[in-house]
């Protein structure tokens, strides 16, 4: 999810930059707007901006959600490692039998 969110943010940023810097008026006699040198109306430019904005917001929310999931997964993994190490230490302590000193009766 984190990577998908970042991809959406990049695509939205590219659309916004294209809309800002490549949109213009061909000449003063012709009021048709151009985008990337192609004549387009005002409605397609608005829709491209709207789609870019929605993609940006969706990308940010996916990035936040994916980051939270990744942090939760990493925290659980760290806790599992700690529990496994504690269990392993406990098993080694119980498997080692303490050496008993000889009793005076055995001598």
């Amino acid at each position: 999810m984190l990577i998908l969110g970042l991809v959406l943010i990049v695509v939205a940023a590219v659309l916004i930059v294209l809309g800002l810097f490549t949109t213009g008026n061909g000449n003063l006699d012709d009021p048709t707007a151009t985008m990337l040198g192609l004549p387009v109306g005002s409605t397609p430019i608005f829709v491209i901006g709207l789609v870019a904005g929605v993609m940006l917001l969706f990308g940010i929310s996916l990035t936040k959600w994916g980051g939270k999931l990744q942090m939760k997964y990493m925290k659980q993994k760290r806790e599992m490692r700690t529990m496994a190490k504690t269990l392993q230490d406990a098993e080694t302590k119980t498997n080692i039998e303490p050496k008993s000193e000889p009793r005076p009766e055995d001598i």
Side-chain angles (χ1 to χ4, degrees), residues 9-81:
I9 290 171
V10 168
V11 170
V14 167
L15 284 175
I16 290 171
V17 168
L18 284 175
L20 287 175
F21 295 114
T22 66
T23 304
N25 203 3
N27 57 24
L28 295 177
D29 297 333
D30 186 16
T32 305
T34 60
M35 185 171 200
L36 290 171
L38 301 171
V40 291
S42 59
T43 305
I45 292 175
F46 173 76
V47 170
I48 290 171
L50 182 68
V51 167
V54 169
M55 284 175 61
L56 183 65
L57 290 175
F58 190 61
I60 289 172
S61 64
L62 272 180
T63 303
K64 282 179 62 177
W65 184 54
K68 285 180 184 179
L69 284 178
Q70 188 173 4
M71 291 300 291
K72 183 179 176 182
Y73 173 72
M74 288 171 51
K75 184 178 178 182
Q76 287 177 348
K77 192 174 178 181
R78 191 178 324 119
E79 288 174 357
M80 290 298 233
R81 271 195 229 124

